């Protein structure tokens, strides 16, 4: 029974009981002194219950009003609850509910603050990475231009060479900015896919053609694992998949050994999927890097000294594009043996082909 009495009544109950007892004692004392002890029964039967009842009511109503006012103040100050929940239920004077609500509020706020903190760190890191990436080519360009202005301009041979190098630096800047632009669009979920049915084998051939020069400079051959005589029709955004293949093949060239091979294969995976694999026999990637490889700006070799400089955006762009297609990308790699990047694509239905 006791546990069933609401906590908010218990306070009033106890206080009125205390008042009644005290008044009962005072009355008893007064009647004793006055020698009117026989009236005490009357006092016991009428006066004390009345005192109890009245004080219970007054205390309960006053306490409730008091707490209500205070709590309303808190609600107003902290905007603790949605205004709707305030309107629908009278503000509780039940401390348990209030405590629960405050705890929930605190928990929600903590989650909110944590999310903001993570986002803030992400933003800081992003800005740091961007300025770091832009600095190197910018200083290169600045260096060549200053040297030219300082007199190198007069020397015909040097002039051309330096201008070409400055132009290369500018090219690199544009390349990074383009990638940044793309990745920002991808990360805010602004990717518009234009899916169509197309022949993936033909697309791979195109990519090979475009990158042939780059590959041949390192003596790397770009090949298929077998001869594909029939087209393999997939349903995806052709241009974006071309970007994926380009990034993967460029990586295989950049991180491939001289005179190596990059091999591409297209295989049936399940009924409606194919898997495209890009395999090289290059420098490979140590296992501890594999989980972070697709993060933006992540590079295995962070020293700016290596000659194959990249900004580390290529694979994160690849991952975004594949995920926007609701497909999967995988990587397997062994140091000094080579790497294999593979991704799935949806086959085109015959009517779409
Ligand atoms: N085929 C590969 N073989 C060995 N290492 C690779 C291969 N592909 C990628 N990597 C490693 O993964 C890192 C990230 O690749 P990613 O393509 O994202 O960036 P990047 O090539 O450095 O720069 P970007 O592509 O933006 O010009 C590379 O720096 C490289 O260390
Ligand atoms: Mg790359």
């Amino acid at each position: 029974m006791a546990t069933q009495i609401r906590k908010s009544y218990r306070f009033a109950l106890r206080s009125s009981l205390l008042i009644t007892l005290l008044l009962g004692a005072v009355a008893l004392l007064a009647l004793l002194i006055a020698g009117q002890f026989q009236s005490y029964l009357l006092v016991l039967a009428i006066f004390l219950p009345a005192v109890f009842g009245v004080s219970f009511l007054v205390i309960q109503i006053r306490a409730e009003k008091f707490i209500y006012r205070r709590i309303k103040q808190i609600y107003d100050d902290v905007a603790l609850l949605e205004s709707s929940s305030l309107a629908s239920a009278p503000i509780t004077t039940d401390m348990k509910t209030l405590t629960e609500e405050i705890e929930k509020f605190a928990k929600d706020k903590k989650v909110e603050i944590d999310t903001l903190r993570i986002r803030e760190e992400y933003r800081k890191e992003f800005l740091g990475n961007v300025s770091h990436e832009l600095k190197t080519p910018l200083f290169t360009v600045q260096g060549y231009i200053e040297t030219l202005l300082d007199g190198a301009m007069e020397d015909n041979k040097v002039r051309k060479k330096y201008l070409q190098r400055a132009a290369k630096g500018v090219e690199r800047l544009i390349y990074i900015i383009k990638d940044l632009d793309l990745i920002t669009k991808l990360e805010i979920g602004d990717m518009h896919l234009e899916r169509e049915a197309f022949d993936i084998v033909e697309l791979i051939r195109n990519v090979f053609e475009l990158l042939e020069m780059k590959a041949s400079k390192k003596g790397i051959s770009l090949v298929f694992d077998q001869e594909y005589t029939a087209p393999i029709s997939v349903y995806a955004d052709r241009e974006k998949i071309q970007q994926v293949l380009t990034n993967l093949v460029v990586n295989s060239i950049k991180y491939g050994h001289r005179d190596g091979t990059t091999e591409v294969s297209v295989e049936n995976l399940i009924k409606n999927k194919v898997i495209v694999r890009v395999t090289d026999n290059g420098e490979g990637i140590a296992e501890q890097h594999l989980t972070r490889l697709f993060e933006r700006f992540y590079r295995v070799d962070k020293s700016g000294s290596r000659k194959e400089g990249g900004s580390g955006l290529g694979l994160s762009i690849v991952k975004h594009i594949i995920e926007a297609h609701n497909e999967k990308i995988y990587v397997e790699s062994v140091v000094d043996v080579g790497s294999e990047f593979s991704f799935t694509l949806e086959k085109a239905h015959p009517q779409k082909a």
Side-chain angles (χ1 to χ4, degrees):
M1 174 67 197
T3 50
Q4 277 170 9
I5 299 174
R6 276 185 44 200
K7 266 193 184 152
S8 50
Y9 291 133
R10 213 181 284 164
F11 172 73
L13 211 64
R14 283 188 182 158
S15 308
S16 15
L17 214 59
L18 199 68
I19 292 174
T20 313
L21 282 176
L22 281 173
L23 278 181
V26 171
L28 182 63
L29 207 67
L31 291 173
L32 271 179
I33 292 168
Q36 306 244 333
F37 183 62
Q38 57 278 31
S39 311
Y40 194 67
L41 270 183
L42 204 68
V43 169
L44 210 63
I46 298 170
F47 177 65
L48 289 184
V51 164
F52 178 76
V54 168
S55 26
F56 177 77
L57 275 178
V58 169
I59 292 171
Q60 178 62 26
I61 289 169
R62 291 296 305 150
E64 206 156 305
K65 268 230 170 94
F66 173 77
I67 296 174
Y68 179 91
R69 263 210 322 270
R70 286 297 161 94
I71 288 176
K72 186 164 180 346
Q73 186 74 42
I74 297 176
Y75 272 68
D76 290 347
D77 287 353
V78 192
L80 187 61
L81 289 174
E82 304 280 305
S83 48
S84 57
S85 65
L86 188 72
S88 64
I91 296 173
T92 177
T93 48
D94 184 341
M95 286 301 159
K96 188 163 163 269
T97 320
L98 182 72
T99 316
E100 274 169 15
E101 277 172 0
I102 288 178
E103 266 167 17
K104 187 178 165 294
F105 171 79
K107 215 181 273 168
D108 287 354
K109 279 283 168 248
K110 190 173 177 313
V111 171
E112 204 178 309
I113 290 168
D114 283 350
T115 323
L116 285 177
R117 195 176 298 143
I118 290 169
R119 216 176 288 162
E120 175 63 11
E121 264 162 35
Y122 187 82
R123 192 187 66 85
K124 270 191 206 145
E125 190 199 300
F126 186 77
L127 277 182
N129 281 325
V130 169
S131 50
H132 178 79
E133 289 306 323
L134 294 179
K135 241 185 320 198
T136 323
L138 205 56
F139 286 165
T140 313
V141 175
Q142 188 192 33
Y144 284 118
I145 290 177
E146 272 175 3
T147 322
L148 282 168
L149 288 175
D150 283 349
M153 212 158 51
E154 316 304 328
D155 186 336
N156 247 347
K157 249 178 36 208
V158 173
R159 181 168 62 195
K160 183 139 190 226
K161 196 165 90 192
Y162 283 12
L163 278 174
Q164 274 166 347
R165 286 188 187 169
K168 260 239 158 77
V170 173
E171 214 173 86
R172 171 103 195 104
L173 277 174
I174 292 172
Y175 169 86
I176 295 172
I177 286 165
K178 263 196 193 152
D179 269 3
L180 278 174
D181 196 38
L182 185 61
I183 204 127
T184 315
K185 279 200 188 118
L186 296 177
E187 288 192 352
I188 54 174
D190 191 18
M191 171 136 45
H192 175 65
L193 292 182
E194 281 180 31
R195 292 184 208 231
E196 56 179 319
F198 64 90
D199 177 11
I200 184 77
V201 177
E202 190 205 316
L203 187 75
I204 298 168
R205 259 188 218 117
N206 280 351
V207 172
F208 278 178
E209 262 168 42
L210 287 169
L211 298 174
E212 210 169 72
M213 279 263 282
K214 199 178 177 69
S216 69
K217 276 188 194 154
K218 265 180 101 170
I220 289 176
S221 16
L222 307 176
V223 298
F224 280 104
D225 67 317
Q226 60 175 64
E227 207 174 317
Y228 290 90
T229 44
I232 299 175
S233 198
V234 295
Y235 188 66
D237 186 317
R238 192 177 196 279
E239 227 172 83
K240 301 235 161 55
I241 298 301
Q242 171 155 359
Q243 167 109 56
V244 166
L245 282 164
T246 309
N247 287 7
L248 293 180
V249 175
V250 167
N251 278 353
S252 79
I253 299 170
K254 280 207 298 194
Y255 310 110
H257 289 314
R258 186 149 264 294
D259 300 326
T261 307
T262 297
E263 189 183 273
V264 179
S265 69
V266 186
E267 262 174 64
N268 273 322
L269 189 64
I270 46 171
K271 207 171 113 238
N272 59 340
K273 300 268 179 194
V274 292
I275 184 159
V276 181
R277 294 180 215 272
V278 180
T279 316
D280 64 57
N281 49 10
E283 63 187 48
I285 305 155
E287 196 173 342
Q288 75 263 27
H289 298 293
L290 291 182
T291 47
R292 302 198 54 195
L293 211 60
F294 294 99
E295 286 174 20
R296 48 174 184 46
F297 296 112
Y298 191 81
R299 287 182 308 209
V300 171
D301 180 1
K302 290 192 176 48
S303 66
S305 61
R306 67 164 192 199
K307 54 182 191 306
E308 299 293 4
S311 46
L313 290 173
L315 284 179
S316 89
I317 290 172
V318 164
K319 186 161 188 262
H320 273 301
I321 294 177
I322 297 299
E323 284 180 351
H325 280 82
N326 282 326
E327 300 292 347
K328 295 250 180 310
I329 175 137
Y330 308 96
V331 56
E332 275 175 44
S333 190
V334 177
V335 172
D336 274 336
V337 174
S339 316
E340 180 184 285
F341 288 85
S342 53
F343 59 94
T344 56
L345 282 178
E346 192 186 319
K347 279 189 215 167
H349 297 298
Q351 65 266 31
K352 281 179 189 156

